[in-house]
Amino acid sequence: MAWRGCVMHLTKTGFIRCTKASPRDSRLNPHNQQRCAFRREAKRTDTNKGNVSQETELAASKAGEPVNVKSPPPPPPPAHSPRARPTLFKPFVFTIGFTGCSFGVAAILQYESLKSRFDTVREEAKPNKELKGSEDMTYWHNWWNQLNGVQKQLILLLSSADDLWSSFSEGQRTAAGIIAVNALVLCCWRIPSLQRTMIKYFTANPAAKTRCLPMVLSSFSHYSVFHMVANMYVLWTFSTSIVSLLGREQFIAVYLSAGAISNMVSYCCKTATGRLYPSLGASGAVMTVLAAVCAKVPEAKLGIILLPMVTFTAGNALKALIAIDTAGLVMGWRYLDHAAHLGGALFGVWYVAYGHKVIWRNREPFVKLWHSIRSPGNGGRRPGSGPGSL
């Protein structure tokens, strides 16, 4: 047992001495060589790896083998430079040109409407009209007797709709057409395939590539049903007053011009403040209608639909709206386009005070030119001026 203990002691001592041998002796151990090689490879820097890969590629190119050269990593992206402010020269020229064309077309439409009424009155003044009317009654009576029950019900329904349409005032009928266009555009917003087109042409943004045409089209564009209902309710409420004040043709010209002018004011404020975001809605044009009526009849009594007991004058309502929009513009409120509201309101006030005299009353040379083109060689007097005088 003592001998075994001595042998074991000597064996352990020799094993320990072998493991503590010099580095030169350790080279003979393959396990130590592999471990050292692994450690040596892990300690290589990226520079050494790049040199090794370059040497490998050079050797492969000399041997005629294809070399897969790795491209250097892309440089870091440059810092974002501040966005350049868009120029507003083209929108400004478009606003002036579109406003002039709107009033020119309105003058032509008024001329054609008065001429049509004059021709109708002249036809009704011809003799034997009563005999022809009795023959027409007999024809329609026989035609009615030949219809079945379903056809008669359909005709009665159409007749009721025609009676309802006839009960509307001229201003309400004009507003109904505008409401129909806005409802159609609202439905187009719900079609996924038209989203890009709607954003491009039916939202006004001074930073967009297309800036001129959306100034008008966005005045008929609403994405929210509540937004459209609110604007169209105000338009319907003041439609009778504004059309009786200006006339149908002049009202259409003012409404279209107000959409372009209010968006132009919005463009200027967005560009000056650097807040280049899109906007849409008929609020600017509707504010023109509201401001024109309130400025012309400031003593008129107005109320709130949900609070009929609260009444106030039209002049005070206009002052309150202008004050709210001014505060929103100064304080940077972004829920509404307060610049467009202010532009529309100021344009409405200016038009009933001065613009009507400057623009509409000076249309006579243009109407005479159209009359000479429309009726060449006719030296008769052109139709007189219709509604539209303040």
Side-chain angles (χ1 to χ4, degrees), residues 42-290:
K43 291 181 180 180
R44 289 180 181 177
T45 59
D46 295 338
T47 306
N48 294 335
K49 288 184 179 179
N51 295 335
V52 171
S53 62
Q54 290 178 1
E55 292 175 359
T56 305
E57 293 170 359
L58 181 60
S61 62
K62 289 181 179 180
E65 297 178 359
V67 180
N68 185 14
V69 181
K70 296 181 180 180
S71 60
H80 293 284
S81 59
R83 183 183 298 180
R85 294 184 178 180
T87 58
L88 300 178
F89 178 73
K90 288 184 178 180
F92 178 74
V93 174
F94 174 81
T95 302
I96 296 177
F98 182 79
T99 301
C101 292
S102 298
F103 282 97
V105 173
I108 293 174
L109 291 177
Q110 187 186 61
Y111 169 85
E112 294 294 336
S113 177
L114 295 174
K115 188 174 184 302
S116 177
R117 293 178 186 178
F118 178 76
D119 294 339
T120 302
V121 172
R122 186 173 57 183
E123 288 292 333
E124 291 178 353
K126 290 183 178 180
N128 298 328
K129 191 68 179 179
E130 183 179 357
L131 179 60
K132 184 178 179 180
S134 62
E135 293 176 354
D136 291 342
M137 290 297 296
T138 304
Y139 169 79
W140 289 114
H141 181 73
N142 296 332
W143 175 79
W144 177 261
N145 293 331
Q146 295 175 0
L147 299 177
N148 55 28
V150 177
Q151 293 174 343
K152 289 182 179 180
Q153 291 295 330
L154 181 60
I155 292 175
L156 290 176
L157 180 62
L158 294 176
S159 178
S160 300
D162 183 69
D163 293 339
L164 178 62
W165 178 259
S166 300
S167 64
F168 291 159
S169 64
E170 187 177 13
Q172 290 175 338
R173 289 195 293 268
T174 307
I178 298 176
I179 294 172
V181 174
N182 282 266
L184 179 62
V185 175
L186 178 67
C187 294
C188 291
W189 274 107
R190 302 300 184 267
I191 302 176
S193 60
L194 296 179
Q195 290 298 310
R196 288 189 177 183
T197 303
M198 300 301 294
I199 294 173
K200 182 178 180 181
Y201 293 104
F202 287 86
T203 58
N205 187 358
K209 293 182 179 180
T210 307
R211 295 179 295 170
C212 295
L213 193 58
M215 297 173 69
V216 180
L217 296 181
S218 63
S219 300
F220 297 89
S221 176
H222 298 84
Y223 189 80
S224 170
V225 177
F226 176 78
H227 188 198
M228 191 197 78
V229 171
N231 284 335
M232 295 300 102
Y233 174 77
V234 177
L235 177 63
W236 179 268
T237 303
F238 290 91
S239 60
T240 302
S241 301
I242 191 67
V243 172
S244 62
L245 184 67
L246 302 177
R248 182 183 60 184
E249 293 82 8
Q250 188 180 185
F251 161 70
I252 294 175
V254 170
Y255 188 86
L256 294 176
S257 302
I261 292 173
S262 60
N263 278 311
M264 184 63 210
V265 176
S266 177
Y267 277 10
C268 294
C269 293
K270 290 177 182 178
T271 305
T273 58
R275 299 170 181 172
L276 306 177
Y277 56 88
S279 59
L280 73 166
S283 303
V286 172
M287 279 293 294
T288 298
V289 175
L290 187 150

Side-chain angles (χ1 to χ4, degrees), residues 233 301-312:
Y233 174 77
K301 293 293 183 178
L302 301 178
I304 303 175
I305 183 173
L306 299 178
L307 299 173
M309 71 290 298
V310 179
T311 59
F312 42 84

